[in-house]
Amino acid sequence: DWPALDKAVLIAAPHTSNWDGLNMLAAAGYYRVRLRWMGKKSLTQGPFGWLIKRLGCVPIDRSGSHDVVNAMRAQFASERDMVLAIAPEGTRSLVGDWKSGFWHIAVAADVPLVLSVLDYGKRSVTLPAVIYPGGDYEADLALIRRHYADAVGKKRRQFVAPGAGTGASG
């Protein structure tokens, strides 16, 4: 069941295919939860920009060095309800470890992390835990890792559980 939370960062993993986003949106639709997600600002401009925003995009200016964590903290503060989906791998390619931005955003915004596991091996989307991040990223990552240890991405060889490391750059 979907946790009764007004605000949260949703960890969306594994993320190995473009299908992952559609499957996650379908699962959120089932629960009647509007997911928000970060996208480059240019996606929200032009004739279809309004539609991209309506679909949940929170525009991020990637033209220079901008403080994304602080921008997302401010976005959470300005919203009554907000569930921000983040794929911590940062790409659909194999990475050696997850990027820590999802954790930093949750800490800065003082919101919990909802773990969502999109497991193609089991053909399921589960929400196994809600974690309230403390001040120790490595300790929180150890808790998170347990829930993703056996997960299988759509492209099986492109997902490694957080903290497992592969030697690949990320």
Side-chain angles (χ1 to χ4, degrees):
D1 288 335
W2 191 267
L5 299 168
D6 293 331
K7 297 181 181 185
V9 169
L10 177 86
I11 297 176
H15 182 42
T16 63
S17 163
N18 286 331
W19 286 104
D20 302 336
L22 293 173
N23 287 324
M24 188 59 62
L25 286 173
Y30 173 81
Y31 287 108
R32 300 194 189 291
V33 171
R34 180 174 184 242
L35 286 183
R36 306 291 300 276
W37 45 277
M38 293 181 286
K40 47 188 170 176
K41 187 177 179 180
S42 62
L43 287 174
T44 62
Q45 298 171 337
F48 297 105
W50 66 270
L51 178 61
I52 299 300
K53 282 184 183 177
R54 181 84 171 128
L55 290 172
C57 183
V58 177
I60 300 296
D61 185 355
R62 297 181 358 176
S63 64
S65 62
H66 298 279
D67 187 354
V68 173
V69 171
N70 200 33
M72 289 300 97
R73 182 202 52 73
Q75 188 72 35
F76 269 105
S78 72
E79 305 268 345
R80 190 175 62 84
D81 300 317
M82 183 169 162
V83 177
L84 180 67
I86 298 178
E89 294 136 299
T91 178
R92 291 175 304 277
S93 302
L94 178 66
V95 296
D97 212 345
W98 286 6
K99 297 182 182 307
S100 61
F102 72 95
W103 184 85
H104 290 287
I105 290 169
V107 169
D110 194 26
V111 299
L113 294 164
V114 174
L115 281 56
S116 67
V117 182
L118 182 58
D119 192 334
Y120 286 88
K122 295 177 184 166
R123 301 178 73 82
S124 66
V125 177
T126 59
L127 304 169
V130 174
I131 294 175
Y132 292 83
D136 185 346
Y137 173 70
E138 293 301 326
D140 289 340
L141 191 62
L143 292 172
I144 294 166
R145 181 182 302 119
R146 287 185 256 169
H147 296 283
Y148 291 92
D150 298 324
V152 175
K154 182 161 181 64
K155 295 182 180 176
R156 294 177 181 270
R157 293 191 174 120
Q158 289 182 208
F159 177 71
V160 175
T166 64
S169 62

